[in-house]
Amino acid sequence: MRVLLIEDTADVAEAIAASLGRGGFACDIAPDLAGARAHVAVQAYDCMILDINLPDGDGCDFLQALRRRGDRTPVLMLTAQFAITARVDALDRGADGYLVKPFDLRELEARVRALVRRETGRAEAALHLGRLEFDPAGRTARVEGANLAMTRREMTLLHMLMAHRGQIVGKERLFDGLFSFEESEVGVNAVELYIARLRKKLMGSGVAIETHRGLGYRMDEAPDG
């Protein structure tokens, strides 16, 4: 899953991005509204985290412009304002939720996951395929009760493929979910490396990851079970 964080305080932005990264999100950072506009012009996001007070304008104005052009990306507002009127205004202009600074990074991550779940309409229940059980909320994968050890990117890749099991997911889409702009120098072919690692860890699970040349990858039950 890919998140755009629009926050001008560098240390706050870095802490949020690091926390989300450990949770399996690819996080791009924009320090102002100009940067945010540049990001959304070239990249779709699963969620945005938007500060209200930014150097070049009001985050609520940016949000309202998004909504007016039909962009329904879930947006979590960050505000240092305790006044209820400021929070009500953010919600009225299209925010899906808000957090008042200072906040706990664990709560922020939980809020982001909840917004993404609500937008996609998928309950965060355990997903089953073959002998594999994947728990998106707990970020655990098991085969017949035995935990599989995975890195955060392997877990994110598994999540994307399991969420679209039986469907072909493009390599570019997988890359976007795994890497932020700052990490894009690794190249889209890095997806192949993570697919190979995931296949190895899923051996004996009754699950197969098919390669569809020029299209992407499809996860489904292995033909032999």
Side-chain angles (χ1 to χ4, degrees):
M1 291 178 284
R2 191 154 182 164
V3 174
L4 175 60
L5 170 61
I6 308 160
E7 166 62 61
D8 64 314
T9 306
D11 56 347
V12 173
E14 289 168 6
I16 292 172
S19 177
L20 291 175
R22 290 190 293 272
F25 292 91
C27 186
D28 295 324
I29 300 174
D32 51 32
L33 294 178
R37 294 186 187 100
H39 278 71
V40 300
V42 297
Q43 177 64 51
Y45 290 95
D46 296 294
C47 187
M48 296 184 198
I49 303 170
L50 174 61
D51 195 4
I52 289 181
N53 297 309
L54 292 158
D56 54 350
D58 187 329
C60 286
D61 292 337
F62 172 77
L63 171 60
Q64 193 167 31
L66 286 179
R67 297 303 188 230
R68 282 176 176 168
R69 68 169 186 254
D71 190 323
R72 305 312 306 167
T73 304
V75 174
L76 178 67
M77 301 296 293
L78 302 181
T79 177
Q81 302 179 45
F82 288 89
I84 189 66
T85 52
R87 288 175 266 170
V88 169
D89 181 57
L91 294 171
D92 282 345
R93 295 171 78 178
D96 297 278
Y98 64 84
L99 273 178
V100 177
K101 298 178 179 179
F103 50 80
D104 190 300
L105 290 171
R106 294 169 298 179
E107 181 180 3
L108 182 142
E109 182 181 337
R111 294 283 193 94
V112 169
R113 290 192 185 282
L115 290 179
V116 172
R117 286 200 305 271
R118 189 175 74 186
E119 179 65 16
T120 59
R122 293 194 303 269
E124 202 78 314
L127 304 174
H128 296 83
L129 189 64
R131 292 182 290 280
L132 174 65
E133 177 185 341
F134 174 64
D135 177 7
R139 294 188 64 77
T140 57
R142 298 183 182 88
V143 175
E144 297 182 337
N147 283 324
L148 299 179
M150 292 191 183
T151 66
R152 66 174 182 84
R153 282 208 177 100
E154 291 166 353
M155 195 69 75
T156 298
L157 178 59
L158 176 61
H159 191 176
M160 288 189 285
L161 292 172
M162 283 286 281
H164 298 90
R165 52 202 182 281
Q167 306 170 38
I168 297 173
V169 185
K171 184 188 287 187
E172 293 281 353
R173 175 68 187 90
L174 295 174
F175 180 81
D176 286 346
L178 291 172
F179 299 97
S180 66
F181 280 126
E182 291 184 354
E183 301 166 314
S184 60
E185 71 278 359
V186 299
V188 71
N189 288 333
V191 173
E192 297 176 8
L193 172 64
Y194 283 95
I195 287 286
R197 290 180 179 176
L198 192 56
R199 279 182 174 139
K200 185 175 181 180
K201 292 189 176 182
L202 294 177
M203 289 179 64
S205 67
V207 171
I209 303 174
E210 304 169 354
T211 299
H212 292 259
R213 296 294 176 191
L215 296 173
Y217 300 92
R218 175 177 177 267
M219 176 177 277
D220 213 334
E221 244 182 287
D224 58 1

